[in-house]
Amino acid sequence: MTRKKSLFLYLIPLLIMSFIGCSNQPDKLEIKEMPADFNFSLIYGTYGKQKIDTFNDTIVKDLVEDGTIEVNIAFSEEEMEQTYHEMMNINIMDDSKFTVREEEVCDTEPPSYTIWNIQMDGKTNSFYTQSYCDGYPEDVLKLLKLADHIHSILSNKEEYKELPDSNGYYE
């Protein structure tokens, strides 16, 4: 048998196996390009005193005993794209996943919560989360991780690092 024929006979099963393997792969969430109107605001933390608002490129930092400080800090295009993809990975526009059921919520002192307002593709989605009595539902945990991720983007910015440190703490 010639070298070309043996190579051809070797490649055919590989191609068939790759097609079969691809067809058995689970569907992966397809994330489209970030829409031009994508923006969000996130109010979070103790008493909901911290805020990230990409609609107005502002943030509010809680200084605890010294009140709050509001400054203009914008997220870069790359940071917005990264945040958009993180939001799409948890299907954040499906607000039914993040509905708070009052019987699961605990009153805590001081209260801590997050309020989300997200705009994309001409639609707006708003919802909130609070402390849960018996652990957080998986979808809410994903939201909390997303909020931490967004805050970490902010806290690594030089403009944010130059802000005064918080004075005191909540009990």
Side-chain angles (χ1 to χ4, degrees), residues 34 36-42 51-59 72-76 79-81 83 87 117-119 150 153-154 157:
M34 181 179 79
D37 68 340
F38 172 64
N39 276 297
F40 65 93
S41 69
L42 171 61
K51 183 176 185 179
I52 299 171
D53 180 351
T54 66
F55 293 94
N56 300 303
D57 294 332
T58 59
I59 67 103
N72 291 94
I73 298 178
F75 277 46
S76 70
E79 292 163 338
M80 290 294 286
E81 294 242 0
T83 302
M87 288 182 178
N117 185 23
I118 302 153
Q119 174 185 295
I150 293 168
I153 291 172
L154 175 65
K157 292 178 142 315

Side-chain angles (χ1 to χ4, degrees), residues 2-34:
T2 68
R3 181 178 272 182
K4 285 183 183 180
K5 283 184 183 178
S6 63
L7 181 62
F8 181 73
L9 290 174
Y10 176 75
L11 288 176
I12 288 176
L14 284 177
L15 289 171
I16 292 171
M17 293 291 281
S18 67
F19 287 123
I20 291 171
C22 290
S23 66
N24 291 334
Q25 296 293 326
D27 290 336
K28 195 171 186 182
L29 182 64
E30 186 177 326
I31 299 175
K32 60 183 180 169
E33 186 177 316
M34 181 179 79

Side-chain angles (χ1 to χ4, degrees), residues 147-159:
D148 286 345
H149 173 76
I150 293 168
H151 179 79
S152 101
I153 291 172
L154 175 65
S155 62
N156 285 314
K157 292 178 142 315
E158 286 305 315
E159 306 100 304

Side-chain angles (χ1 to χ4, degrees), residues 62-136:
D62 183 11
L63 303 176
V64 186
E65 291 179 14
D66 295 335
T68 59
I69 184 169
E70 183 174 339
V71 294
N72 291 94
I73 298 178
F75 277 46
S76 70
E77 185 74 16
E78 181 181 318
E79 292 163 338
M80 290 294 286
E81 294 242 0
Q82 181 184 15
T83 302
Y84 170 77
H85 286 284
E86 292 294 323
M87 288 182 178
M88 293 297 88
N89 282 333
I90 65 169
N91 197 11
I92 202 160
M93 294 306 276
D94 180 3
D95 57 355
S96 67
K97 294 171 60 174
F98 308 112
T99 302
V100 175
R101 292 178 292 282
E102 293 303 320
E103 66 274 7
E104 297 177 327
V105 175
C106 287
D107 288 328
T108 58
E109 195 54 46
S112 182
Y113 53 87
T114 60
I115 300 173
W116 296 83
N117 185 23
I118 302 153
Q119 174 185 295
M120 65 178 73
D121 292 327
K123 300 175 192 159
T124 301
N125 195 6
S126 300
F127 49 90
Y128 73 97
T129 63
Q130 288 179 241
S131 298
Y132 282 74
C133 301
D134 296 321
Y136 290 90

